[in-house]
Amino acid sequence: MKIRTIIIILTLGIFAGCKNVNQKIEYPVVANIKLTKTLLAVTVVADSLRVPWDIQFLDDHQIIYTEIAGQISKLNLQTGERKLLYNVPDVYQKRTLGLLGMCLSPNMKENPYVFISYTTKTSEDVFSKLVRLTLENDTLVNPEVLHTIPGSTGHNGARLTFAKDGKLLWATGDAHSKTFAQDSTSLNGKILRMNIDGSVPADNPIPGSLVYAWGFRNMQGLTVSDKGVIYTSEHGDAIEDEVNLIKPQQNYGWPQIEGMHDLPEEIAIAKKHQRTEPIRSWTPVIAPSGLKYYNSATIPEWKNSLLLVTLKSQSLRQLKLSDDGQTITDELVFLEKQFGRIRAVTVSPSGDVYLATSNQDWNPQPGFPKPNDDRILKLSPVKKAVHKPFIGVKPTTEKGNVVDGLTLYNSYCESCHKPDGKGVANVFPPLAGAEQVIGEPKKLIDIVLGGLSGEITVKGNKYDQQMPTFNFLKDEELAKILTYVRSNFGNRSSEISATEISKQRK
Ligand code: HEC
């Protein structure tokens, strides 16, 4: 062998050996975003994950993330190295259930704790657990169960974060219960506030209780601003997804009141009792998930904003806050449908934004999952674009003006029954060829006006879930939707008129 060849082989060997130590990897740019001044690059820092539900920064170059089936891992952004820290042994993972929210203690040197919220199952009952783990070198040890609360086949929340005063906040779901959210002695459908060991702080609004605020349905986002203001994002039923500003001992209304106080019954309740309105609500729904307060100079256009990521509308949204943080003054939608469902958002110590997609979950949208889903994406300023940049757009709100059947179907039915009307196996029944759709108009009108629950059989298969009511839609809108579902997906049934709907409403 020639000396030169030997040197080359040796050199290659040395470089290969050092690869994960010194070399910073360059992540490929998959998109660009243009803000008023700042240009952002979107890069993929991790892929082939399974529903990363929460992402948190451990230090300036390491992320800890959860995956829904129970894994907690660490990602080194400089080397790309991933390491499994812990596998939660008793996770019950099905549809939306599994390992959900996570947060790190604000002072990891003194209290090296990682807090997680997940669903678990004993014989027949589902529970949500809040567990504290201790980070020791590269593993998580000493799991301590801080709290166990009732769970269900859905609506288990959950997010965790620390308030400015060092107390731990846990946003819990209503576990599909009709009574929990309004019952201040139940821990479901609440913002719970606790000490780092799970005990009740002496200054909680209800003495001896973890309950800090109540009247919530299913929160998927929780964040605290630099000034200490607490915000949540929450899934509405068929309408009114929300962002709330959380204050102690306030009642946010669910299930007596949904979203804004705009119906006569809601106004009447709010007149009599203390009820707090959301600071923003969305109809048609967008399925809001992760929420993070942004205030870094790295992306100046986003200073003093809430960054909200969404599942159904598959986007990142900037909700610009007023100076006092009490109201949302503007909203811009980014990356709609580019990366599919987005579940989690966080901000690095240097002010870059990280997102986690959720396309391997139970409800993938058309065109997803892509072969390398799920992914963690990084948004950071760059000088030059390599793709035609996306810009932020104002949200479209269709509420109020009657549009065509397809648009209405996409706004109100598509997320569950799917664009092709075929539904989701075992969960959402098909509209294509279903007796309930192509049969007598009266039955179909009843379903959308009254909603559905309990076991039903559609095309020979049993379903036992809940469908919300759509009685808030105008006669004309419902007529267009029902005519659309009766004459598409291979269905060939008669039209339904606004008059028929109006008659049946009474
Ligand atoms: C949040 C999810 C969701 C949305 C949105 C939704 N549905 Fe449903 N739908 C369901 C579920 C779940 C069932 C089955 C209920 C049960 O098991 O009792 C159902 C059942 C039905 C049925 C009867 C069974 C069948 O497949 O024919 C019809 C008809 C129907 N939906 C129409 C609609 C229409 C029209 C819209 C839009 C206005 C709509 N749905 C929006 C979840 C949804």
Side-chain angles (χ1 to χ4, degrees):
M1 210 186 281
K2 280 186 186 159
I3 296 264
R4 238 174 75 195
T5 324
I6 294 171
I7 291 173
I8 289 170
I9 289 172
L10 281 176
T11 323
L12 285 175
I14 290 164
F15 275 120
C18 295
K19 195 174 153 243
N20 282 351
V21 185
N22 295 324
Q23 217 171 306
K24 285 193 187 175
I25 29 175
E26 293 262 335
Y27 295 103
V29 177
V30 290
N32 288 104
I33 299 173
K34 179 93 182 79
L35 306 177
T36 320
K37 286 204 176 108
T38 312
L39 182 69
L40 300 174
V42 181
T43 51
V44 178
V45 299
D47 65 13
S48 308
L49 303 172
R50 182 150 178 260
V51 192
W53 221 94
D54 217 322
I55 43 177
Q56 300 290 342
F57 270 83
L58 177 62
D59 54 34
D60 62 358
H61 69 282
Q62 296 190 97
I63 284 178
I64 295 188
Y65 62 91
T66 60
E67 285 172 281
I68 198 162
Q71 295 76 30
I72 307 174
S73 307
K74 194 172 80 173
L75 167 67
N76 184 323
L77 292 165
Q78 291 179 346
T79 63
E81 188 193 6
R82 298 186 209 169
K83 214 169 222 173
L84 180 70
L85 303 180
Y86 190 70
N87 212 332
V88 185
D90 57 337
V91 165
Y92 175 54
Q93 207 286 299
K94 198 179 176 193
R95 295 212 307 134
T96 62
L97 283 64
L99 172 54
L100 307 176
M102 170 191 62
C103 75
L104 310 187
S105 133
N107 183 349
M108 286 299 279
K109 286 223 169 72
E110 211 171 289
N111 300 306
Y113 300 133
V114 173
F115 299 83
I116 53 172
S117 173
Y118 63 92
T119 47
T120 183
K121 195 177 171 207
T122 54
S123 61
E124 277 314 291
D125 289 322
V126 176
F127 295 94
S128 283
K129 263 189 185 175
L130 173 61
V131 169
R132 183 175 90 173
L133 299 151
T134 305
L135 183 65
E136 218 178 79
N137 302 319
D138 267 343
T139 53
L140 287 163
V141 296
N142 194 22
E144 294 169 77
V145 181
L146 301 187
H147 295 284
T148 303
I149 64 171
S152 183
T153 53
H155 296 205
N156 297 294
R159 290 281 177 190
L160 290 158
T161 197
F162 272 85
K164 204 98 208 273
D165 60 7
K167 302 297 182 213
L168 175 61
L169 303 173
W170 187 20
T172 65
D174 73 358
H176 275 311
S177 157
K178 290 201 167 73
T179 57
F180 284 164
Q182 282 299 317
D183 176 356
S184 64
T185 65
S186 149
L187 298 183
N188 285 86
K190 303 291 179 310
I191 294 292
L192 304 176
R193 178 177 183 264
M194 64 193 81
N195 296 316
I196 201 158
D197 60 359
S199 62
V200 180
D203 59 348
N204 259 14
I206 305 174
S209 166
L210 294 173
V211 173
Y212 187 72
W214 64 97
F216 303 105
R217 185 174 178 271
N218 194 25
M219 292 174 282
Q220 294 245 316
L222 173 67
T223 190
V224 175
S225 77
D226 292 1
K227 292 193 179 106
V229 182
I230 304 164
Y231 305 90
T232 60
S233 69
E234 180 177 351
H235 285 195
D237 197 357
I239 49 168
E240 303 234 46
D241 282 340
E242 304 176 1
V243 163
N244 283 297
L245 188 158
I246 305 301
K247 292 185 178 158
Q249 216 172 352
Q250 298 206 354
N251 183 336
Y252 290 76
W254 178 259
Q256 304 172 322
I257 297 181
E258 178 159 32
M260 296 297 179
H261 303 171
D262 47 7
L263 302 174
E265 316 87 84
E266 296 178 336
I267 295 167
I269 295 170
K271 236 183 192 163
K272 256 187 156 160
H273 310 279
Q274 184 281 314
R275 296 289 182 272
T276 308
E277 270 191 323
I279 57 170
R280 176 83 171 95
S281 98
W282 289 266
T283 302
V285 289
I286 56 173
S289 191
L291 185 69
K292 185 76 183 177
Y293 179 74
Y294 190 91
N295 203 27
S296 165
T298 301
I299 306 175
E301 291 91 335
W302 288 354
K303 253 180 109 62
N304 194 38
S305 297
L306 294 170
L307 300 180
L308 173 70
V309 289
T310 70
L311 301 165
K312 178 173 185 259
S313 82
Q314 305 169 58
S315 59
L316 163 70
R317 290 170 188 239
Q318 176 204 3
L319 310 176
K320 180 78 187 155
L321 290 167
S322 57
D323 287 344
D324 63 3
Q326 299 294 300
T327 54
I328 292 169
T329 57
D330 200 8
E331 176 178 357
L332 283 176
V333 182
F334 294 93
L335 299 175
E336 192 158 28
K337 301 202 166 123
Q338 295 305 312
F339 297 99
R341 292 156 69 79
I342 310 181
R343 177 77 63 179
V345 51
T346 196
V347 177
S348 77
S350 66
D352 295 331
V353 173
Y354 287 73
L355 314 175
T357 68
S358 208
N359 297 311
Q360 297 282 356
D361 70 9
W362 65 286
N363 195 14
Q365 298 300 302
F368 292 95
K370 301 278 187 223
N372 50 357
D373 272 324
D374 279 311
R375 299 182 269 185
I376 298 179
L377 305 168
K378 172 189 179 182
L379 278 59
S380 56
V382 281
K383 295 244 152 58
K384 257 194 170 150
V386 294
H387 300 276
K388 183 169 181 278
F390 293 106
I391 54 163
V393 296
K394 295 267 179 203
T396 46
T397 40
E398 288 124 30
K399 195 183 179 185
N401 43 31
V402 180
V403 289
D404 62 286
L406 170 64
T407 308
L408 288 163
Y409 179 81
N410 285 341
S411 296
Y412 296 106
C413 320
E414 178 243 69
S415 61
C416 297
H417 294 289
K418 302 286 134 187
D420 57 5
K422 290 197 175 131
V424 175
N426 308 318
V427 187
F428 299 130
L431 301 178
E435 178 50 33
Q436 289 88 338
V437 175
I438 53 182
E440 228 193 295
K442 188 177 172 309
K443 281 207 183 117
L444 179 58
I445 298 172
D446 268 348
I447 290 174
V448 289
L449 283 179
L452 261 186
S453 62
E455 196 178 276
I456 59 162
T457 305
V458 185
K459 292 173 83 179
N461 296 316
K462 287 197 169 24
Y463 296 86
D464 192 5
Q465 302 283 332
Q466 283 174 12
M467 162 155 151
T469 138
F470 289 89
N471 61 6
F472 59 88
L473 289 172
K474 293 182 196 157
D475 296 342
E476 220 183 308
E477 292 173 314
L478 280 174
K480 285 196 173 163
I481 294 182
L482 296 186
T483 300
Y484 178 82
V485 301
R486 276 163 74 85
S487 55
N488 279 280
F489 322 131
N491 295 341
R492 280 152 193 245
S493 274
S494 58
E495 291 190 4
I496 289 183
S497 70
T499 328
E500 281 172 274
I501 295 185
S502 148
K503 263 195 209 147
Q504 217 160 303
R505 221 187 260 273
K506 294 161 193 160

